[in-house]
Amino acid sequence: MDRLVTFVTDIGFLVPSLVAARQLVKQDIHHLADIVIYTVNIEAGLVDYLSAQAGNRHIRFEPLPYELFAPPANVNFHKNHVPVTSLARLSLQDVIDEKYLNIIYIDGDVQIVGDVSALVKYTVPDGKILAGRGSAWLDQAQSQHNMTPDNYLKNLGDLSQDTYFNAGVLAFRRATWAEAAPRALKFFFDNSEICIRHDQSALNAVFKDKIISFPPKYNFHSAYADLYAQRQYAPAIIHFTGPRKPWGPALAPWGTRFQNSYQELFREQPALRQYLKVSDVDGMRPKLRLLKSWLHEAKRLFGNQTDIVKRRRAFLDHATGGSFPF
């Protein structure tokens, strides 16, 4: 088998990555590609525990040394919800077996909710990267929010709003990554001040004009969910971009929809409970918090109705009328 679906995680995103990998197994994706979670600074005993669990039998766990991507002391890693471990994928070429020619990378803060077989089976042309749009292009269809900081795209090499991609789900040839990923890591080290979105910034700079776009269903991120496009367009991979994660407090627009996936894993593999705090959904306080969230959401939707409708229409036009390879 020459196809690989891979996640890269430290201890903070181990449980979410495993949940997503298991969702791939439920789709029988392991018959199309091997599934490997590369671990960073996770103790060997825990990896042995994970490997021994029957529910993980189609998932491999392999180490990725921190030293391969560790930023020098003078490099600025902008502090937000993104861990330094996000840079680790720029070292995948150093650990992936050479038999894998076609690679699909997926962030850990996702849930797989639809068929992804077309994504896994697609062969990306040499020198190209397959990705989904980021949120920058929605700037052209909105008036209330500045989703892209001033000069951000210009500083990265006059990038286009239409082609700037979110790096949470990617596909590429192994040879392409082996050549481009080290350049992206160097770009980040040399230009960390302008790479405010870390390795995503660097990857966009390096792959400028070498991008093939897939439908947004394979990287349906929070900017789309906030438009409630999911009511008219079915996602396959929901990517919880930003600080609101599905294991955190139940908030609009998803509410409690995704919490049980983590609890189900804990019931089967209880030793993992200590590695992810999943917010309670039962009890008066969580229910009041969710109610307050929906009231705030109703106010947002009412106050920005024209803007939201305009951007949702732009999304649906892109999703249903775009030129995609599958």
Side-chain angles (χ1 to χ4, degrees), residues 123-247:
T123 298
V124 184
D126 288 334
K128 303 285 188 178
I129 193 167
L130 181 73
R133 279 180 172 181
S135 302
W137 71 279
L138 284 173
D139 287 354
Q140 302 172 61
Q142 59 84 41
S143 58
Q144 300 294 323
H145 312 287
N146 182 19
M147 303 171 75
T148 307
D150 291 342
N151 296 320
Y152 171 62
L153 298 181
K154 180 177 177 62
N155 290 339
L156 293 176
D158 286 323
L159 302 184
S160 164
Q161 289 178 312
D162 286 332
T163 59
Y164 180 85
F165 60 86
N166 180 284
V169 181
L170 304 170
F172 42 82
R173 300 281 287 177
R174 187 188 193 284
T176 300
W177 197 253
E179 186 279 328
R183 289 196 291 118
L185 188 61
K186 184 178 186 303
F187 184 92
F188 176 78
F189 288 164
D190 293 344
N191 303 276
S192 61
E193 288 296 332
I194 65 173
C195 291
I196 60 175
R197 290 171 183 163
H198 314 107
D199 49 316
Q200 177 172 292
S201 302
L203 284 168
N204 270 275
V206 166
F207 278 103
K208 180 183 179 182
D209 301 325
K210 298 178 181 178
I211 303 153
I212 299 173
S213 293
F214 56 52
K217 67 184 292 181
Y218 298 109
N219 189 345
F220 190 92
H221 45 79
S222 296
Y224 302 152
D226 287 342
L227 301 177
Y228 289 84
Q230 60 271 26
R231 293 180 175 177
Q232 298 166 269
Y233 182 81
I237 301 178
I238 297 177
H239 183 193
F240 302 93
T241 52
R244 292 178 297 168
K245 303 302 183 186
W247 54 86

Side-chain angles (χ1 to χ4, degrees), residues 14 31 43 97 256:
L14 174 62
H31 294 310
E43 60 183 24
D97 192 301
T256 62

Side-chain angles (χ1 to χ4, degrees), residues 30 39 68 120-121 126 145 149 189 208 215 236-237 246 251 272 290:
H30 56 286
T39 62
L68 292 176
V120 175
K121 289 189 288 188
D126 288 334
H145 312 287
F189 288 164
K208 180 183 179 182
I237 301 178
L251 303 171
L272 296 180
L290 181 58

